[in-house]
Amino acid sequence: MILNEPETSLHPDLLPPLARLIAKAAKQSQVIVVSHAQMLVSALAAEADSQQIVLEKQLGETIVKDGPRAELDLAFAVTRQHPLQNRKAITAR
């Protein structure tokens, strides 16, 4: 399951409980969260078995700044299986 900016329209006090709910759901299924909310990112990082991958925009291109190579390979494998997805979404240099 992918959650894209789940913090949108939520009061900041609700972000730690949201992180706990996401962690609970992640015990049953893989969950990927895309967020710009530092409070949510920090709360998720504190959960066991969580992994943070930082993406940074440079000259119109998205660059992976942190994250293991295996995660990057998986991202490319998923992209190759689904040709309609934008391959520039994740690039490595």
Side-chain angles (χ1 to χ4, degrees), residues 51 66-76 91-93:
Q51 178 131 18
D66 294 317
R69 185 71 208 169
E71 292 289 333
L72 202 55
D73 290 341
L74 175 62
F76 280 118
T91 58
R93 295 205 181 241

Side-chain angles (χ1 to χ4, degrees), residues 12-90:
D13 290 347
L14 296 176
L15 297 182
L18 175 62
R20 290 192 297 273
L21 288 172
I22 291 170
K24 186 175 181 180
K27 291 179 182 177
Q28 303 296 318
S29 178
Q30 182 179 19
V31 179
I32 298 170
V33 178
V34 179
S35 179
H36 297 278
Q38 189 57 46
M39 185 182 290
L40 179 58
V41 171
S42 296
L44 287 170
E47 294 291 333
D49 298 325
S50 70
Q51 178 131 18
Q52 182 177 4
I53 298 174
V54 177
L55 303 177
E56 185 176 290
K57 198 106 173 178
Q58 293 180 1
L59 300 172
E61 185 174 20
T62 303
I63 306 295
V64 177
K65 298 300 284 185
D66 294 317
R69 185 71 208 169
E71 292 289 333
L72 202 55
D73 290 341
L74 175 62
F76 280 118
V78 169
T79 302
R80 282 193 297 270
Q81 290 174 1
H82 301 285
L84 296 178
Q85 292 180 352
N86 183 353
R87 288 187 61 97
K88 287 190 165 186
I90 299 177

